[in-house]
Structure formats: structure tokens, C-alpha cells
């Protein structure tokens, strides 16, 4: 077993996150996707000497590496093992209302992807778990328990996979499935896709992970809660890694509770993409809390 505990997840678009959140000394920020705390460290440094961060992560395994890394900031960092679907109550409990900024860096960390036991990666033999939190149904339950038609719909809707029907048929024929690589092989064969830069099982794995963790449902809940904890003028920064997430964010940003600071999504530069391949699909959006001025005629500066 490889020990990756000392290798931290490489945070995406850190400089843009700090600018987007308009980080300043004394500010109060909520990092809804703490992970390895790369962004939180940057926020605490930029808000020195007295800025504070509340860091949430649904995954209990995210806690120890982040705690270790944030020790030097003392009580300026408050870490909680919680789903961001509860961000408003967490912010209230820990004294982060009103907040000056809320950050979502969605999806999963490279630590989770590299884990030998979690089943997130189609390249590693591991039980088909894929849960951020060790409770509720796992990906294995979905793969082996859903009727073929429902499985096909799930892969189509959450994976945007056009060959979902034949993939679902092959999965049902191969049940019971217990291992991530075994599933990846069956999907690859059934899909008929060539193995290029993207693995043929990428979209199916994405769909199963999103369904297992109800990622869109939690994001929807969390975005409106995030706006409710923000100060007027407080910033909401989101980084999405696929179109379904980004669509959800875009819909929210255009809903009137917040207003976009930048009209278009912000993408990482070529240098960052070359250095950190995981950043290539990142789409960042920045919005500002406008209070209850919906319908007023003041324009974006
Ligand atoms: C891309 S990583 C964040 C990496 C982090 N920004 C860093 O610099 O290390 C996303 C994190 O969000 C967490 N996460 C995903 N969905 C969540 C949810 N609904 N509630 C709380 N945390 C969640 C994952 O467990 C993962 O650790």
C-alpha cells in the first residue's frame, strides 16, 4: 500500500480564488469543500493576521491532513466534518454569520481519487464504494440493485453518456459487480469507445459518484444557504468540473439572490493546466450577495 498522506491535493486557480473572494484582513470565510485545505491555507495567509475560515468537508478522512496543515493558524481555522448541505446551520453554530465569502471547489480531491479503498477511480482495484461519507447506499448498491432502465437513465442524465443503454445492459448481465476495475472493463467493452486520453468509463463513473452522493441535490441546497450567510457585498466563488455542476451554479447565479461579478466563467491558464492536469476542466464563477435588492435597477459595475 502506498502512503500518499504527505502529498497534498494541488489546489486549482488559487490566485483567482483569493481575488474572487476579495480576501482581506479580519474577514470571515467559509470553505465548503475543505479537502486538503490548499485554498483555506491561501485564504488564511491573505487575510492575515486575523481573518478566519470555517472549513467543511463531508469526508471524515479529509480531517486529519487538513488539521495538521492548519495547526499553525490556531483558532483562525475551524474545521467541521459536515455536508455543505448544512452550511447555514454550521455557519451559525460557529459564528460565521455574516460571512465575507463562501467557496465551493466541487468534486473530489486527488487524495480521494488515489485512495486504495474508495472505488472512485477506474484505474484502481477497490470496492465500489464512492461515498464521501460512510453512510447510505454505496455505488455497489446502485450498480447491483437498480433496474436496468433506471441505471441507464442515471448514466445518461448524470454522466451525459450517450451510450448509457448498452452500458446498463452489460452491467446488469455481469451482476454482481464488486470491484472498480472490473466495472470499468465491462463499461469500456460495452461502450465500444476507443481508449484515448479519456477512459471510456469516465462518464459512467462520474454518474455513479454523483448519484451516490446526491451531488446536485446538495449543491442546490448549499448555494441558497451560502447566499443567506453572506454579508451584503460578500462573495460566492464556485469551481465546477463538469457541465451539470456548472449549469446548477449558473442557474443560481442568475436567480437574483446574488449577481455575477464576471459575466463569463474563468478558466485556468495554460501554465496551470500544464502543471496540474486536473485543473483542465475547471470553470470558476464569482458572484456577489446583493441583499434584497431584487428588481432594483442598479447595474453591474
Ligand atoms: C476538489 S476537493 C477540494 C480541495 C480543496 N479545495 C483543497 O485545496 O485541498 C473537493 C472536496 O469536497 C468534498 N465534498 C464533496 N461534496 C461535499 C459535500 N456535499 N459536502 C461537503 N464536502 C463535500 C470532498 O470530500 C472533497 O474533499
Amino acid at each position: 500500500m502506498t502512503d500518499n498522506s504527505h502529498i497534498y491535493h494541488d489546489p486549482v486557480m488559487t490566485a483567482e480564488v483569493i481575488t474572487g473572494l476579495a480576501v482581506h484582513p479580519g474577514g470571515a470565510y467559509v470553505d465548503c469543500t475543505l479537502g486538503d485545505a490548499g485554498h483555506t491555507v491561501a485564504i488564511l495567509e491573505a487575510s492575515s493576521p486575523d481573518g478566519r475560515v470555517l472549513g467543511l468537508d463531508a469526508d471524515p478522512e479529509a480531517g486529519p491532513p487538513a488539521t495538521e496543515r492548519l495547526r499553525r493558524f490556531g483558532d483562525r481555522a475551524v474545521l467541521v466534518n459536515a455536508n455543505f448541505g448544512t452550511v447555514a446551520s454550521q455557519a451559525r453554530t460557529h459564528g460565521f454569520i455574516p460571512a465575507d465569502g463562501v467557496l465551493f471547489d466541487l468534486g473530489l480531491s486527488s487524495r480521494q481519487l488515489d485512495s486504495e479503498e474508495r472505488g472512485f477511480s477506474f484505474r484502481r482495484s477497490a470496492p465500489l464504494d464512492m461515498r464521501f461519507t460512510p453512510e447510505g447506499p454505496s455505488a455497489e448498491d446502485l450498480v447491483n440493485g437498480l433496474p436496468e432502465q433506471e441505471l441507464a437513465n442515471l448514466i445518461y442524465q448524470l454522466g451525459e453518456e450517450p451510450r448509457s443503454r448498452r452500458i446498463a445492459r452489460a452491467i446488469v448481465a455481469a451482476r454482481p459487480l464488486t470491484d472498480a476495475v472490473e466495472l470499468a472493463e465491462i463499461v469500456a467493452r460495452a461502450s465500444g469507445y476507443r481508449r484515448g486520453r479519456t477512459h471510456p468509463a469516465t462518464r459512467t463513473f462520474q454518474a455513479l459518484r454523483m448519484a451516490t452522493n446526491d451531488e446536485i441535490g446538495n449543491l442546490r441546497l448549499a448555494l441558497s444557504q451560502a447566499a443567506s450567510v453572506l454579508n451584503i457585498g460578500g462573495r460566492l466563488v464556485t469551481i465546477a468540473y463538469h457541465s451539470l455542476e456548472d449549469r446548477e451554479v449558473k442557474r443560481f447565479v442568475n436567480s437574483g439572490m446574488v449577481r455575477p461579478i464576471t459575466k463569463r466563467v474563468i478558466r485556468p491558464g495554460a501554465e496551470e493546466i500544464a502543471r496540474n492536469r486536473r485543473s483542465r476542466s475547471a470553470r470558476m464563477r464569482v458572484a456577489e450577495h446583493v441583499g434584497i435588492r431584487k428588481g432594483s435597477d442598479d447595474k453591474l459595475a
Side-chain angles (χ1 to χ4, degrees):
M1 192 161 151
T2 14
D3 177 14
N4 286 332
S5 56
H6 60 291
I7 304 169
Y8 292 120
H9 170 95
D10 198 357
V12 169
M13 291 196 280
T14 306
E16 292 87 341
V17 165
I18 298 302
T19 310
L21 288 171
V23 176
H24 55 80
Y29 304 91
V30 183
D31 181 350
C32 288
T33 49
L34 177 70
D36 274 2
H39 287 130
T40 284
V41 166
I43 296 168
L44 287 166
E45 284 173 347
S47 65
S48 167
D50 53 353
R52 296 178 302 136
V53 175
L54 170 63
L56 307 181
D57 205 296
D59 184 355
E61 290 183 22
T67 304
E68 180 58 34
R69 221 175 167 188
L70 295 169
R71 203 179 300 283
R72 69 186 162 105
F73 296 101
D75 60 9
R76 293 179 58 207
V78 178
L79 309 187
V80 183
N81 175 212
N83 195 300
F84 55 52
T86 64
V87 56
S89 68
Q90 296 298 339
R92 196 171 311 115
T93 304
H94 297 282
F96 279 78
I97 295 183
D100 298 294
V102 178
L103 170 66
F104 292 88
D105 176 24
L106 297 164
L108 74 169
S109 69
S110 40
R111 180 182 301 282
Q112 290 163 328
L113 194 60
D114 289 345
S115 159
E116 312 242 338
E117 303 100 40
R118 312 288 295 272
F120 285 119
S121 169
F122 36 70
R123 299 182 205 283
R124 275 175 194 274
S125 187
L128 277 170
D129 190 318
M130 298 198 195
R131 292 172 300 180
F132 288 138
T133 310
E135 59 198 31
S138 65
E140 185 175 325
D141 296 326
L142 297 180
V143 161
N144 294 315
L146 284 183
E148 182 179 324
Q149 184 63 43
E150 272 183 48
L151 190 59
N153 289 346
L154 183 157
I155 296 170
Y156 182 72
Q157 284 159 6
L158 295 179
E160 301 186 303
E161 170 56 78
R163 299 184 182 175
S164 57
R165 280 181 207 280
R166 55 166 110 163
I167 291 172
R169 198 176 316 130
I171 290 176
V172 169
R175 284 172 173 170
L177 283 163
T178 54
D179 181 83
V181 168
E182 188 190 5
L183 172 65
E185 289 299 325
I186 284 159
V187 173
R189 225 173 301 130
S191 71
Y193 292 129
R194 292 232 191 99
R195 284 178 198 244
R197 278 168 69 86
T198 307
H199 189 287
T202 302
R203 286 194 285 260
T204 300
F205 270 60
Q206 174 192 305
L208 288 169
R209 195 200 81 211
M210 290 181 67
T212 301
N213 298 292
D214 187 17
E215 292 185 29
I216 296 296
N218 280 311
L219 179 60
R220 193 171 296 165
L221 267 179
L223 286 169
S224 53
Q225 288 184 32
S228 76
V229 310
L230 281 172
N231 245 329
I232 308 268
R235 296 290 182 87
L236 173 70
V237 173
T238 57
I239 307 176
Y241 294 86
H242 56 77
S243 53
L244 288 180
E245 276 172 356
D246 188 53
R247 208 175 298 154
E248 198 58 44
V249 173
K250 190 174 170 189
R251 186 177 354 195
F252 180 73
V253 163
N254 291 322
S255 71
M257 257 179 111
V258 293
R259 70 172 164 192
I261 290 283
T262 47
K263 288 221 171 74
R264 295 189 185 185
V265 290
I266 302 167
R267 309 292 303 250
E271 186 275 330
E272 175 162 7
I273 294 174
R275 180 172 49 76
N276 180 8
R277 197 174 131 69
R278 219 188 68 83
S279 71
R280 72 194 185 288
S281 48
R283 285 167 249 199
M284 179 172 151
R285 292 185 189 269
V286 183
E288 177 186 41
H289 185 35
V290 289
I292 40 171
R293 293 196 313 223
K294 198 173 175 181
S296 77
D297 61 359
D298 65 337
K299 298 266 178 346
L300 184 61

